[in-house]
């Protein structure tokens, strides 16, 4: 480290501190200063610190602008953008000016520039292959590698552009490729921030790369190769400058050569302004869609250049798919399955457009009959056509036991469905649209459930999975999500009205209404407790009217009724039809489900708000949920999509030792969630979530008995330390909350906490205190005595999510997960007084902690990448010292869903109880599509 008066080098001395950060070593020069690796001594993690040049200290306006930009960037939470954690100042000192630094995410791995020079990706994160020659001219990356990297860069640009942030210095040196293949774009918006308040048009030196002080600031002149023509001319720029740079980066990945080259900066700029890239260098097998994308990105005419990177992402998707499709089968005609490589050659007829989810695999193997149907330019057939689609992105199963998992766009062109993330185990949304050959995770909809679409099909609304009271929305093409509103209790279903508002249902209250752009919800309906109503759920708008259909829920399927409310007048009409999850079909029918899994239809006069005929069955075996949700949807043009049977029922219970060896139990296959081991290890409580939602007890000697049975839902079973009681969350009767029941089922359960969204987490070893999670604006932790007056006390109620509390065997410590740092990690605090300091015990993310039994100073948790981790901890007074976490076994084959802990440890500390999908999950539960389904409804009498 050089000795100098510059704050960068003064701070850069190894071992010096900047606030809570200890400088470790210098790792490079950034576009605007030196970059150092440092240790965050508060949170126990390594970070990158970029020390800004000294000239900022003397320019108040620029420094203020830089701070504002940093604040904006800090709000950008995207997996492909390196995060900004903070902004630090050091006051001036003798002989030194003031210093300023950005605290950023430390991203390990080579830059994309290094990857391109080597012509290959790092070998499994262990560096480049021995045969790679960085000095040789690389022929470009493998096509699929280049497109995967480009896709992630594009998602990062899209997320930033949605927030009004332009990079202006996108280049391979500002992009890193981690060992797991994740791409991280660095220095987002910093070039824009350094420009000051002057527009570049009036200050050419404000160029992100070609400044008058570029050599002093350590900037790289070669960046000119990625500048858009308008940027090279120092004219005002918008997002299209980033799109140009994206095209230049993609060209370089594909060819190993820069799109615009020259002997010096002047030659490079002249090439940017006057020359065309050497298109002959592109791979011969490059998909036409990607060629078109490159041409549009590198068009010198701003008016003809691609305007939105989201459009380009669709072309990248087509290139990534390589023409492959997922398996499907056609019923009533030729049967087809398998995967076809290569694009379909048949013309795009009307019927082909009507089959957005039946891709080229059908053409390849479906036979002459189907090929003729798809190629013939004839109108839609009058007879319905059925086919099945097996989602290619299946990870375990459809999303959940309590909500609807699928939604189809009003125009029938887009399907949105819920699956579980293979990395985090939490619900996420996946889309399939016309023009896509494969399903794709919806960017911005991680941790999402209960999808619904806007009337123009441009937005997807959803409910947060970890806080089921929050509604959000995301563009149908993906991007940053934004808040719609928050309910006071768990949301059960939502529907988007053409006037720009969203109506949503609740577990134990009436419908509410909120502006789709965000705001405070207003009540729309009130439950009638006199007739046994518990909540109004699963709303669905009748297009072109002010009517919303919904389910008047009374605690169970057999007594649920259909109803309608006029959102203008608030008038409720209860219909003489028993059922749930109503949808309106333009044939003049309400389509709904009954408790036997039957899909039924009844003629309906929307003008008079009355049924005009008798309900008739139209389909059997619809997948139902215990809350009244049903897995089907109908588009306006007559397409039906549904899931058959109990999509969540095929799971087993197994023991797994520390080395990953399984010992299956003989528990029958059911829809299990949240297994908990009794104190003596002889019994398990299991949430069973298939047709009902109750607590069951599995005796390891071989019997499964039902503990709870009521008209509501019972879940999150938890043993007391003496094994005599089970605590659980319940919606029984009019009092929703946490109850305690005798483990033998004798007597009535006792209400401990009356609160709509309260879920038990842990009981203290002395059996006197319950720790529970409550969901409001966020997830918070509370405690309540189990004897005497049940007075609730807040434990952790912050602006962050804290959940899944676990108590140490001696009752002195509480482990929990929190997103305090922006990433979900495991922390430990003293208990019951949690005001002491917290200790971070995970190192790279973690969730669902549990303590080892008495005698072992050990905490377990689930880490990203599907690993069960073990951390040894040593108590020193009121301090806790964690060791380095150690991976025990892979958890990818086990079920992780919902917001609770999905495993438990036996009293001997040697094995864990895990829930396992007994089949391939969604792969054995295909979605069925019926085209022209309204033809069947029209024939109903």
């Amino acid at each position: 480290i050089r000795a100098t008066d510059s704050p960068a080098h003064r701070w850069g001395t190894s071992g010096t501190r900047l606030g809570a950060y200890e400088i470790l070593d210098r790792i490079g020069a950034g576009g605007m200063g030196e970059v150092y690796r440092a240790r965050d001594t508060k949170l126990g993690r390594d970070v990158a610190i970029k020390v800004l040049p000294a000239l900022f200290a003397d320019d108040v306006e620029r420094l203020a602008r830089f701070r504002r930009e940093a604040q904006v960037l800090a709000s950008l939470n995207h997996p492909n953008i390196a995060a900004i954690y903070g902004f630090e100042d050091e006051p001036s000192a003798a002989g030194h000016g003031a210093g300023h630094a950005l605290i950023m995410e430390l991203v390990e791995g080579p830059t994309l520039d290094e990857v391109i020079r080597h012509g290959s990706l790092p070998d499994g994160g262990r560096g480049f292959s021995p045969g790679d020659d960085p000095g040789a001219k690389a022929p470009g990356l493998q096509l699929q590698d280049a497109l995967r990297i480009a896709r992630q860069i594009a998602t990062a640009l899209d997320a930033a552009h949605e927030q009004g942030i332009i990079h202006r210095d996108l280049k391979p040196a500002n992009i890193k490729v981690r060992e797991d293949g994740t791409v991280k774009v660095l220095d987002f918006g910093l070039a824009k921030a350094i420009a000051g308040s002057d527009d570049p048009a009036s200050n050419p030196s404000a160029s992100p790369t070609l400044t008058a002080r570029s050599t002093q600031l350590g900037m790289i002149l070669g960046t000119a190769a990625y500048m858009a023509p308008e940027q090279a001319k120092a004219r005002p720029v918008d997002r299209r400058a980033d799109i140009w740079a994206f095209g230049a980066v993609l060209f370089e990945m594909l060819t190993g050569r820069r799109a615009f080259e020259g002997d010096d900066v002047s030659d490079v700029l002249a090439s940017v302004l006057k020359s065309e890239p050497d298109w002959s260098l592109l791979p011969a097998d490059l998909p036409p869609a990607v060629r078109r994308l490159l041409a549009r990105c590198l068009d010198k005419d701003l008016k003809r250049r691609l305007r939105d990177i989201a459009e380009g992402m669709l072309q990248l998707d087509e290139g990534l798919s390589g023409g492959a499709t997922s398996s499907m089968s056609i019923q009533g005609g030729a049967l087809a399955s398998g995967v076809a490589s290569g694009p379909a050659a048949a013309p795009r007829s009307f019927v082909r457009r009507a089959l957005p989810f039946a891709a080229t695999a059908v053409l390849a193997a479906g036979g002459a009959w189907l090929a003729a149907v798809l190629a013939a330019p004839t109108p839609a057939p009058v007879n319905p056509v059925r086919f099945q689609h097996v989602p290619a992105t299946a990870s375990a199963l459809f999303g959940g036991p309590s909500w609807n998992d699928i939604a189809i766009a009003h125009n029938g062109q887009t399907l949105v469905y819920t699956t579980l993330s293979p990395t985090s185990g939490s619900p996420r949304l996946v889309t399939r649209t016309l023009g896509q050959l494969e399903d794709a995770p919806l960017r911005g909809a991680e941790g999402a459930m209960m999808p619904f679409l806007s009337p123009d099909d441009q937005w997807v609304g959803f409910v947060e999975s970890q806080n089921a009271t929050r509604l959000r929305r995301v563009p149908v093409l993906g991007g940053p999500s934004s808040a719609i509103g928050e309910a006071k209790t768990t949301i059960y279903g939502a529907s988007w009205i053409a006037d720009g508002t969203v109506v949503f249902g609740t577990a134990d209250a009436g419908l509410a209404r909120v502006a789709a752009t965000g705001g405070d919800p207003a009540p729309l309906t009130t439950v009638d407790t006199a007739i046994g109503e518990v909540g109004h759920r699963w709303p669905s708008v009748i297009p072109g009217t002010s009517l919303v259909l919904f389910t008047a829920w009374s605690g169970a399927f057999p007594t649920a009724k259909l109803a309608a409310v006029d959102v203008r007048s608030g008038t409720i009409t209860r219909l003489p039809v028993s059922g749930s999850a109503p949808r309106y079909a333009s044939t003049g029918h309400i389509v709904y489900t009954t408790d036997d899994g039957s899909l039924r239809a009844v003629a309906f006069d929307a003008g008079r708000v009355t049924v005009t005929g008798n309900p008739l069955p139209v389909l059997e075996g619809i997948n139902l949920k215990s809350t009244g949700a049903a897995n089907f949807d109908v588009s306006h043009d007559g397409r039906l999509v549904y899931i058959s049977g109990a999509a969540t029922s095929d799971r087993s219970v197994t023991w797994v030792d520390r080395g990953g060896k399984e010992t299956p139990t003989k528990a029958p296959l059911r829809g299990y969630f949240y297994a908990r081991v009794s104190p003596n290890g002889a019994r398990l409580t299991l949430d069973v979530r298939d047709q009902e939602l109750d607590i069951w007890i599995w005796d390891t000697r071989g019997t499964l008995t039902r503990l709870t049975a009521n008209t509501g839902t019972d879940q999150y079973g938890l043993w007391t330390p003496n094994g005599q009681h089970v605590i659980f969350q319940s919606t029984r009767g009019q009092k929703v909350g946490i109850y305690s029941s005798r483990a033998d089922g004798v007597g009535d359960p006792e209400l401990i906490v009356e609160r709509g969204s309260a879920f038990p987490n842990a009981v203290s070893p002395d059996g006197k205190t319950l720790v529970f999670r409550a969901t409001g604006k966020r997830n918070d932790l509370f405690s309540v005595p189990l004897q005497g007056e049940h007075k609730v006390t807040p434990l952790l109620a912050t602006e962050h999510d804290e959940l899944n509390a676990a108590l140490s065997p001696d009752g002195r410590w509480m482990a929990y997960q929190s997103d305090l740092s922006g990433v979900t990690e495991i922390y430990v605090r003293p208990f019951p007084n949690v005001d002491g300091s917290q200790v971070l015990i995970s190192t790279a993310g973690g969730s669902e902690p549990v303590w080892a039994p008495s005698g072992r100073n050990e905490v377990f948790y689930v880490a990203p990448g599907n690993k069960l981790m073990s951390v040894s901890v040593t108590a020193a007074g009121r301090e806790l010292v964690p060791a380095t976490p150690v991976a025990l076994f892979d958890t990818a084959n086990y079920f992780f869903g919902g917001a609770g802990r999905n495993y438990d440890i036996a009293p001997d500390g040697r094995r864990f109880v895990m829930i396992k999908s007994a089949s391939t999950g969604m792969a054995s539960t295909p979605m069925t599509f019926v085209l022209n389904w309204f033809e069947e409804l029209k024939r109903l009498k």
Side-chain angles (χ1 to χ4, degrees):
I1 304 298
R2 299 189 300 271
T4 175
D5 286 341
S6 164
H9 298 297
R10 175 160 50 91
W11 280 350
T13 305
S14 180
T16 59
R17 294 178 69 92
L18 169 61
Y21 305 96
E22 180 181 354
I23 304 295
L24 299 179
D25 53 69
R26 180 177 180 272
I27 57 177
M32 291 181 300
E34 303 288 327
V35 182
Y36 301 90
R37 178 192 297 267
R39 185 67 175 173
D40 183 340
T41 57
K42 286 186 177 180
L43 297 180
R45 62 180 176 184
D46 285 355
V47 299
I49 293 185
K50 174 170 283 191
V51 182
L52 305 183
L55 65 90
F56 278 88
D58 300 320
D59 191 332
V60 176
E61 182 178 350
R62 284 193 177 188
L63 185 57
R65 177 180 174 85
F66 195 90
R67 283 200 181 100
R68 288 196 301 271
E69 291 288 343
Q71 290 170 353
V72 173
L73 289 165
S75 67
L76 262 183
N77 182 15
H78 192 275
N80 297 121
I81 298 177
I84 289 181
Y85 296 147
F87 191 99
E88 292 287 338
D89 296 307
E90 182 178 83
S92 58
H96 302 290
H100 313 282
L102 278 171
I103 313 302
M104 302 183 298
E105 176 185 3
L106 179 64
V107 183
E108 304 284 6
T111 65
L112 181 57
D113 185 60
E114 295 172 295
V115 171
I116 294 173
R117 284 190 292 111
H118 284 80
S120 67
L121 295 175
D123 183 18
R126 297 183 294 274
F128 292 100
S129 301
D132 292 337
D133 179 9
K137 276 289 185 181
L141 302 180
Q142 292 291 324
L143 176 61
Q144 289 300 301
D145 290 339
L147 294 184
R148 289 190 185 97
I149 292 173
R151 183 62 162 78
Q152 294 182 68
I153 298 171
T155 62
L157 287 176
D158 184 40
H161 290 172
E162 285 289 326
Q163 299 296 322
I165 298 172
I166 307 169
H167 194 295
R168 304 209 316 172
D169 199 18
L170 184 70
K171 57 186 178 182
N174 276 343
I175 300 165
K176 281 207 167 189
V177 183
R178 296 195 326 190
E179 64 177 76
D180 62 358
T182 301
V183 172
K184 290 278 188 176
V185 180
L186 313 178
D187 285 354
F188 236 112
L190 302 187
K192 180 178 180 180
I194 200 173
S197 59
D198 296 333
D199 188 271
S202 62
N203 182 11
S205 70
S207 162
T209 56
L210 299 179
T211 68
R213 306 187 59 169
S214 60
T215 55
Q216 297 177 44
L217 301 184
M219 294 182 178
I220 303 171
L221 296 179
T223 310
Y226 309 96
M227 299 175 83
E230 65 273 18
Q231 194 174 8
K233 296 177 181 179
R235 293 176 179 172
V237 299
D238 58 17
R239 64 178 64 184
R240 288 172 290 182
D242 282 352
I243 291 174
W244 172 283
F246 170 80
V249 171
L250 177 55
F251 183 94
E252 189 171 346
M253 284 194 290
L254 293 169
T255 65
R257 300 277 297 272
R258 288 180 175 175
F260 304 97
E261 296 181 309
D263 294 332
D264 55 31
V265 174
S266 299
D267 289 341
V268 173
L269 291 179
S271 178
V272 168
L273 295 172
K274 300 296 183 182
S275 303
E276 284 292 316
D278 187 351
W279 301 112
S280 66
L281 297 174
L282 292 172
D285 60 347
L286 188 66
V290 181
R291 288 181 179 270
R292 291 193 299 270
L293 172 62
L294 278 168
R296 290 200 63 194
C297 288
L298 295 175
D299 197 316
K300 292 177 172 50
D301 187 344
L302 265 176
K303 295 181 180 178
R304 296 177 56 184
R305 192 181 307 160
L306 189 71
R307 301 185 65 86
D308 193 331
I309 195 65
E311 298 176 31
M313 288 159 61
L314 295 177
Q315 292 168 299
L316 285 173
D317 287 341
E318 186 173 338
L320 278 167
S321 70
T325 71
S326 56
S327 301
M328 307 189 174
S329 63
I330 299 292
Q331 299 176 7
L335 188 65
S337 63
V339 177
S341 61
R348 222 182 204 180
S349 66
F350 179 91
V351 180
R352 171 137 174 94
R353 292 194 301 271
L355 291 169
F357 311 107
T360 52
V362 178
L363 283 177
W369 174 84
L370 183 58
V373 169
L374 294 178
T378 57
V382 295
N383 292 321
V385 176
R386 287 173 166 81
F387 65 90
Q388 289 186 330
H389 170 57
V390 179
T393 56
S395 59
L397 75 165
F398 286 99
S402 305
W403 59 80
N404 56 295
D405 300 311
I406 56 177
I408 193 169
H410 302 81
N411 61 15
Q413 302 295 293
T414 302
L415 175 73
V416 184
Y417 69 88
T418 313
T419 184
L420 298 182
S421 168
T423 55
S424 68
S426 62
R428 66 175 182 180
L429 298 184
V430 171
T431 63
R432 183 70 178 270
T433 61
L434 179 65
Q436 282 183 284
L437 297 178
E438 291 183 346
D439 304 336
L442 179 59
R443 295 172 302 108
E446 296 78 18
M449 59 187 186
M450 289 188 248
F452 60 99
L453 287 102
S454 61
D456 60 4
D457 294 325
Q458 296 302 303
W459 293 86
V460 178
F462 63 86
V463 178
E464 291 185 7
S465 63
Q466 289 215 347
N467 194 332
T469 63
R470 296 176 183 170
L471 278 170
R472 300 186 70 84
R473 62 174 182 157
V474 66
V476 73
L477 294 178
S481 67
S482 53
I484 294 177
E486 185 160 4
K488 295 180 180 179
T489 185
T490 302
I491 295 173
Y492 279 163
S495 188
W496 203 311
I497 308 178
D499 66 1
T501 60
V502 172
V503 173
F504 61 87
T506 56
D508 49 13
L511 302 180
R513 190 179 184 189
V514 64
T517 53
D520 294 326
L524 180 60
T525 66
T526 303
V527 297
D528 189 344
T529 57
I531 59 175
E533 290 182 352
V534 173
H536 292 166
R537 307 177 175 183
W538 315 118
S540 179
V541 174
I542 298 181
T545 74
S546 58
L547 291 178
V548 175
L549 299 170
F550 66 92
T551 302
W553 188 252
S554 55
F557 241 124
T559 55
K561 297 283 187 180
L562 303 188
V565 59
D566 189 315
V567 296
R568 294 174 183 167
S569 65
T571 302
I572 298 176
T573 303
R574 290 172 172 83
L575 305 175
V577 180
S578 296
S580 185
R583 304 283 191 276
Y584 183 77
S586 59
T587 56
H589 293 86
I590 295 176
V591 184
Y592 63 98
T593 55
T594 56
D595 62 332
D596 60 355
S598 171
L599 188 68
R600 301 192 180 192
V602 61
F604 180 72
D605 186 331
R608 294 188 297 153
V609 196
T610 184
V611 295
T612 59
N614 295 319
L616 296 172
V618 293
L619 193 64
E620 300 296 329
I622 298 294
N623 171 234
L624 305 179
K625 306 299 181 78
S626 60
T627 58
N631 268 328
F632 81 96
D633 203 6
V634 180
S635 70
H636 290 177
D637 65 349
R639 305 179 190 190
L640 168 70
V641 57
Y642 66 91
I643 302 171
S644 298
T648 63
S649 63
D650 288 341
R651 296 192 204 114
S652 61
V653 180
T654 187
W655 293 102
V656 183
D657 67 17
R658 286 172 172 257
K661 182 181 178 181
E662 291 186 4
T663 304
T665 71
K666 296 182 180 180
L669 301 182
R670 294 292 299 270
Y672 298 123
F673 266 69
Y674 306 141
R676 293 292 181 269
V677 187
S678 66
N680 64 4
R683 293 177 294 174
L684 305 175
T685 57
L686 296 159
D687 287 19
V688 177
R689 304 182 176 188
D690 31 49
Q691 295 300 321
E692 298 166 335
L693 211 160
D694 284 295
I695 306 295
W696 292 64
I697 293 179
W698 168 252
D699 189 315
T700 54
R701 294 172 298 179
T703 59
L704 182 66
T705 57
R706 187 173 183 169
L707 177 64
T708 65
N710 71 93
T711 56
T713 61
D714 302 308
Q715 56 185 338
Y716 290 87
L718 180 68
W719 293 94
T720 56
N722 60 13
Q724 295 181 7
H725 288 79
V726 174
I727 298 171
F728 56 95
Q729 192 266 356
S730 179
T731 62
R732 60 186 60 228
Q734 300 302 311
K735 294 185 177 181
V736 178
I738 297 175
Y739 287 76
S740 176
S741 172
R742 284 181 48 150
D744 58 10
V746 175
D748 293 328
E750 176 193 3
L751 179 64
I752 304 297
V753 176
E754 185 176 358
R755 184 164 179 164
S757 299
F759 308 94
N761 276 185
V763 178
S764 61
D766 59 11
K768 295 180 179 180
T769 305
L770 169 70
V771 177
F772 67 92
R773 165 178 65 94
T775 302
K777 291 185 177 180
R778 62 196 65 84
N779 288 297
D780 296 315
L781 296 175
F782 299 82
S783 66
V784 62
L786 289 175
Q787 290 96 30
E789 181 183 0
H790 301 307
K791 183 179 180 180
V792 173
T793 302
L795 285 177
L796 284 177
T798 72
E799 66 272 23
H800 305 288
D801 280 320
E802 290 97 10
L803 61 158
N804 283 327
L807 299 179
S808 61
D810 60 7
R812 295 178 55 203
W813 306 96
M814 180 179 75
Y816 60 97
Q817 70 185 63
S818 171
D819 61 356
L820 170 66
S821 67
V823 176
T824 300
E825 301 273 12
I826 306 300
Y827 298 87
V828 172
R829 286 177 180 262
F831 182 84
N833 180 8
V834 299
D835 294 334
S837 61
Q838 64 183 10
V839 177
L840 175 67
I841 67 170
S842 57
T843 56
S847 61
E848 304 183 34
V850 63
W851 287 84
S854 181
R856 294 176 180 267
N857 297 321
E858 193 174 15
V859 178
F860 306 96
Y861 66 90
V862 180
N866 303 312
K867 297 293 183 183
L868 186 69
M869 309 296 291
S870 165
V871 180
S872 296
V873 292
T874 302
R878 296 294 290 175
E879 297 294 328
L880 195 73
V881 181
T884 301
V886 177
L888 296 183
F889 58 84
D890 197 304
T891 62
N893 293 327
Y894 303 110
F895 171 73
F896 286 86
R901 173 162 52 89
N902 284 277
Y903 69 101
D904 202 11
I905 188 167
D908 60 10
R910 298 177 181 176
R911 57 180 184 163
F912 303 85
V913 62
M914 312 290 288
I915 294 173
K916 185 175 183 179
S917 294
S919 65
T920 55
M922 284 169 32
S924 63
T925 312
M927 292 177 284
T928 300
F929 294 87
V930 185
L931 308 182
N932 310 309
W933 183 63
F934 284 176
E935 297 301 321
E936 289 187 0
L937 293 186
K938 292 174 183 177
R939 298 179 185 135
L940 294 179
K941 301 295 183 180

